[in-house]
Amino acid sequence: MNRRVFLGMCGGSSFGWAQSKEVATATPSTLVSFGSVPNVTQKYLKSVGDRLIQPGKERSSFSGTIAVGDAAGTAIQWTNEFPGKLKIDGLGKSLVFDLGKSARQSLDELDDELLEVLSADTPDAFFDQMQKGSFPRMLGANFQVEGVKGFGATVDIFQVVVPVTARKVAGTVAKHYMFDNQTGLLFRVAYQKVLSGAASKVVTEWNGYEKTDGTNWTPKQITRRQNGAKKFEVKIQTSALRATANDNLFALAK
């Protein structure tokens, strides 16, 4: 079997996009346990660190810069709270998404892309979907990625069909999560998405991992590509973990 990932940039097998009936909003799950995920995925849960399985580190806060296309980078900061909450401050606006409460949102394309990258194309979402019953199918291990050396050169690929979470248009999407075979850390998420009225191949790529607190890994760079071209790139300068709090950080606008 030829274990090269074709199309270099994307990898995996064919992509699928299926419009469907409205997917019911799921109730946010609790922290992940090794017993709640398939044995074949436990390697990758362990690689993340303990923030998804131990209480007290539900919030991940980041600051850095975002560069859209060839433009210079501007300041951005965001906070994820597991499971399913995200607040972004940057590009002159503030965005809040709560999987358990947010209705379908009418967003401009860049906001929609940024919300999806930072909320859904993450190891957090990969494992949280299992809590809700969307289990991945392993397509194979040790696939070679053309043009990549070092981290991400060989990947283990999973396919999971998940509900579209942020966009106004309901449906499901088949995503391919690619984990570095050596470290077990997430390298790429690839799928097809309708952008500007046309189906596009999109990829979210995670690179430059460092440990935040001696235990949990954080990427230093997140790149979004559309049909091979870089759409935006986020460079992370600071990151921190802390416990959840009842402080209305993720309060939705009225």
Side-chain angles (χ1 to χ4, degrees):
M1 176 180 177
N2 184 351
R3 304 191 75 79
R4 288 194 174 189
V5 178
F6 74 86
L7 293 178
M9 178 277 292
C10 291
S13 56
S14 60
F15 299 94
W17 170 269
Q19 296 292 345
S20 68
K21 295 181 179 179
E22 178 79 19
V23 178
T25 300
T27 301
S29 61
T30 58
L31 292 172
V32 182
S33 68
F34 283 97
S36 68
V37 301
N39 290 341
V40 72
T41 67
Q42 291 181 4
K43 165 186 174 180
Y44 315 99
L45 177 59
K46 183 177 181 181
S47 294
V48 172
D50 63 4
R51 64 182 180 80
L52 299 183
I53 60 177
Q54 296 289 341
K57 299 179 181 180
E58 295 87 356
R59 284 190 181 179
S60 304
S61 298
F62 307 91
S63 66
T65 61
I66 179 170
V68 180
D70 295 326
T74 60
I76 187 173
Q77 59 184 22
W78 73 97
T79 299
N80 295 91
E81 182 171 299
F82 188 83
K85 295 180 180 180
L86 171 66
K87 182 178 182 182
I88 305 171
D89 292 294
L91 299 174
K93 63 187 74 174
S94 181
L95 298 171
V96 176
F97 180 71
D98 185 338
L99 182 58
K101 297 178 181 179
S102 297
R104 299 285 171 188
Q105 299 185 40
S106 181
L107 304 168
D108 65 39
E109 186 172 287
L110 181 58
D111 290 347
D112 170 72
E113 287 278 271
L114 193 56
L115 277 173
E116 183 153 33
V117 166
L118 298 180
S119 68
D121 294 355
T122 64
D124 307 49
F126 179 75
F127 289 105
D128 189 42
Q129 288 298 333
M130 298 182 214
Q131 306 280 82
K132 301 179 176 71
S134 295
F135 292 96
R137 179 168 67 96
M138 191 172 193
L139 301 182
N142 288 311
F143 283 91
Q144 295 179 349
V145 181
E146 294 180 359
V148 177
K149 295 181 179 180
F151 179 76
T154 58
V155 295
D156 307 333
I157 305 176
F158 293 85
Q159 176 180 280
V160 59
V161 178
V162 296
V164 175
T165 55
R167 297 189 295 278
K168 187 176 181 180
V169 179
T172 57
V173 59
K175 293 190 174 186
H176 295 83
Y177 288 80
M178 307 177 199
F179 295 86
D180 177 66
N181 177 263
Q182 297 299 310
T183 65
L185 295 169
L186 185 62
F187 172 53
R188 284 178 177 167
V189 184
Y191 48 101
Q192 193 173 78
K193 180 177 180 179
V194 176
L195 294 169
S196 302
S200 299
K201 291 177 180 177
V202 295
V203 171
T204 302
E205 188 171 289
W206 304 75
N207 276 296
Y209 282 90
E210 296 181 356
K211 284 191 175 180
T212 298
D213 59 353
T215 303
N216 294 275
W217 290 95
T218 298
K220 302 302 288 185
Q221 182 172 298
I222 307 169
T223 305
R224 179 68 159 187
R225 303 185 190 276
Q226 178 182 343
N227 295 327
K230 184 173 69 175
K231 191 164 188 178
F232 61 82
E233 186 169 83
V234 176
K235 293 185 177 180
I236 298 172
Q237 297 169 342
T238 67
S239 59
L241 299 170
R242 62 184 189 276
T244 185
N246 187 20
D247 56 6
N248 295 318
L249 179 64
F250 302 98
L252 300 173
K254 301 297 184 180

